[in-house]
Amino acid sequence: MVMDEGVIKYHCHWIQGESLAIARLTDLMKKRDLMRSLGLICVYENGIGFGNVSQRINNSNQFIISGTQTAHFPTLKPEHYTVVTDFNIEENCITCCGPVKASSESLTHAAIYYYRPEIMGIIHIHNYQLWQELMFKVPTSNPDVPYGTPQMAKEMFRLFDEENLGVEKILVMAGHEDGIICFGKDLDEAANILLNFVDIDNF
């Protein structure tokens, strides 16, 4: 296991702020806690957490995302979510506002929202068996590209342009062991796409 898992690699401008109203988080919280209950968001034996969820805010490029280092909680509360208000892929930086810093994968989420305005929800999970099964059978990022970097963000653009990611709506992060991302017009679609590949009987 790569030891920089879960580490924020972008420049984070964190503006500490209040928690969002729970009404704005209900669907996000349900999907995140479902993924946690299935072990698709969790913590490795070395204590490093993995997995996150996000939801676009209206028609903007801003989005709500689970905070960094929150994967160990069985359920999340409003204080575990933050809003990414701005980002710059070329400069490898994001601005977030809320009670916690944004997930280490926020730049990748930002790239997807930026490139495809119709996408409203993203789920990022880890599962080694599924990761192996789907590698190069669905859109797959370059194995040499590490997570949480401008290069990975730009890989999202390539996968949309060259590997039909907009139709598949699921991708394997070959350079991010166990990492899988799915998305949709809402979080329900994203979850359903993922669960179509998951053998629930194994959980």
Side-chain angles (χ1 to χ4, degrees):
M1 178 56 56
V2 179
M3 292 309 294
D4 68 349
E5 292 287 333
V7 176
I8 292 176
K9 298 180 178 180
Y10 55 78
H11 303 292
C12 181
H13 180 212
W14 176 35
I15 303 168
Q16 287 189 266
E18 297 295 320
S19 302
L20 290 168
I22 196 166
R24 297 191 66 184
L25 297 170
T26 301
D27 197 27
L28 201 58
M29 292 169 74
K30 286 181 179 177
K31 295 302 184 299
R32 185 272 175 192
D33 292 350
L34 170 63
M35 297 300 141
R36 181 61 167 77
S37 72
L38 294 172
L40 299 172
I41 291 176
C42 201
V43 180
Y44 289 114
E45 291 181 0
N46 62 8
I48 300 298
F50 58 83
N52 44 69
V53 296
S54 71
Q55 187 171 44
R56 187 195 293 271
I57 298 175
N58 301 323
N59 294 319
S60 72
N61 282 329
Q62 298 184 357
F63 56 95
I64 307 165
I65 192 166
S66 48
T68 186
Q69 305 301 324
T70 59
H72 60 287
F73 295 112
T75 60
L76 294 191
K77 298 177 180 179
E79 59 264 32
H80 297 128
Y81 293 89
T82 195
V83 177
V84 172
T85 58
D86 196 15
F87 57 87
N88 188 310
I89 293 171
E90 292 295 336
E91 296 181 5
N92 191 29
C93 64
I94 72 158
T95 300
C96 62
C97 181
V100 292
K101 290 182 180 180
S103 163
S104 59
E105 283 286 0
S106 293
L107 204 63
T108 304
H109 289 243
I112 293 171
Y113 287 128
Y114 168 78
Y115 213 57
R116 286 297 178 97
E118 72 275 14
I119 294 170
M120 300 300 289
I122 299 171
I123 298 173
H124 170 52
I125 61 96
H126 281 209
N127 181 272
Y128 183 69
Q129 180 180 345
L130 188 61
W131 183 74
Q132 282 194 313
E133 289 175 358
L134 295 181
M135 186 89 67
F136 300 112
K137 294 178 182 175
V138 301
T140 300
S141 66
N142 188 316
D144 295 329
V145 176
Y147 85 92
T149 61
Q151 292 81 8
M152 180 61 80
K154 292 175 182 178
E155 266 294 276
M156 299 301 106
F157 304 159
R158 185 187 70 79
L159 294 177
F160 279 116
D161 291 344
E162 299 179 8
E163 295 198 25
N164 210 28
L165 179 57
V167 174
E168 298 286 343
K169 301 180 181 178
I170 186 168
L171 68 100
V172 167
M173 306 172 84
H176 183 35
E177 188 170 352
D178 306 352
I180 298 168
I181 289 178
C182 56
F183 53 80
K185 66 180 184 299
D186 52 35
L187 283 166
D188 283 335
E189 183 180 25
N192 288 336
I193 288 167
L194 176 62
L195 294 176
N196 281 337
F197 290 98
V198 173
D199 184 357
I200 299 297
D201 293 335
N202 288 335
F203 291 88

